Amino acid sequence: MRPARFVFAAALAALAPLSPRGAAAQEVSPLCTGEVVAVGRGAVTAAPDLLAVEFSVETREETPAAAFAGAAERVRAVIDALLAGGVSEADVATSGLSLGPVYGKPARETPAEVTGWRAFASLSVKVRELDAFGRLASAAVEAGANGLSSARLEVSDAETRRGEARAAAVRDAMDRAAGMAEAAGLRLGPVLSLSEGGAPPEPRPFGARAAAMAESADMPIAPGERTLEAPV
């Protein structure tokens, strides 16, 4: 995270130095103004309640049309299986699509030849019932999915929680500035500038093999907790 400055105006009544003999204090100078810079941090914890999964389909055929048609058929079957399993249509989206040649091994002084065509498609799926992941994964594999490239736990109301963390960060910065001003004998003035630091890191994804998904219909998902931070 990249912290940002929280700047306050401050004023200090500065005394002029004593005379060389130290006989008497000199006249008090006008108020000196300056800045107090404080960095605040706020955090809230929340249990992830959403699993974002990436299913993929890959087919290889002799012609590009056949490969593409085969992938399309599998994708339709996977989508139907997910919807039948209770996933909302709004939570299923195509996230990738590609078509390319497959090359054989090159012989000596002979370039590799095209031996077929590969079609690839991926679907981004939001699973809102964590306990249903194993069942949905098995249904997707049985319908034709042959890959799971990533899966990550998320908090569905993350922006609301980050707002709470942001408010806590502002309060923390205010408290820090007040403490520094008091210790330095300063009188804290109005806020001069306020900016938010960098975005917190996203939760790390975790992967799994399609074969393991097919064999683990009761795969447990432990949500744990996520800490959402907001530096200011």
Side-chain angles (χ1 to χ4, degrees):
M1 293 178 295
R2 184 183 69 256
R5 297 199 313 170
F6 196 111
V7 184
F8 298 81
L12 171 66
L15 295 177
L18 295 176
S19 65
R21 295 180 182 179
Q26 300 296 313
E27 184 179 349
V28 176
S29 66
L31 288 179
C32 300
T33 60
E35 293 180 352
V36 173
V37 181
V39 175
R41 298 184 184 277
V44 297
T45 58
D49 55 355
L50 173 68
L51 183 65
V53 188
E54 192 98 352
F55 291 108
S56 60
V57 166
E58 179 179 337
T59 59
R60 298 193 180 198
E61 299 291 346
E62 294 183 357
T63 66
F68 203 80
E73 182 179 357
R74 286 192 175 194
V75 167
R76 281 193 292 269
V78 171
I79 292 175
D80 290 342
L82 292 171
L83 297 181
V87 178
S88 169
E89 188 172 354
D91 288 337
V92 181
T94 299
S95 55
L97 192 62
S98 66
L99 177 67
V102 177
Y103 293 94
K105 293 184 178 180
R108 181 176 296 180
E109 298 181 357
T110 302
E113 296 183 352
V114 175
T115 59
W117 288 82
R118 169 186 174 273
F120 174 87
S122 58
L123 294 171
S124 179
V125 181
K126 294 179 180 179
V127 179
R128 299 184 183 275
E129 295 182 15
L130 301 185
D131 292 341
F133 170 67
R135 172 176 55 80
L136 291 171
S138 293
V141 170
E142 291 173 4
N146 48 22
L148 173 60
S149 57
S150 68
R152 62 184 183 276
L153 289 164
E154 298 180 353
V155 178
S156 60
D157 60 345
E159 286 307 311
T160 299
R161 299 303 181 93
R162 287 196 182 101
E164 296 172 359
R166 189 178 299 112
V170 171
R171 292 192 296 269
D172 181 50
M174 296 284 288
D175 290 343
R176 289 172 184 268
M180 288 188 289
E182 182 180 0
L186 299 172
R187 185 172 71 250
L188 203 61
V191 176
L192 298 179
S193 67
L194 170 63
S195 59
E196 187 174 4
E202 293 296 322
R204 289 185 177 182
F206 61 87
R209 297 179 63 88
M213 292 192 307
E215 297 172 359
S216 305
D218 296 324
M219 173 69 71
I221 299 298
E225 283 190 342
R226 290 287 180 268
T227 300
L228 305 176
E229 299 179 296
V232 298

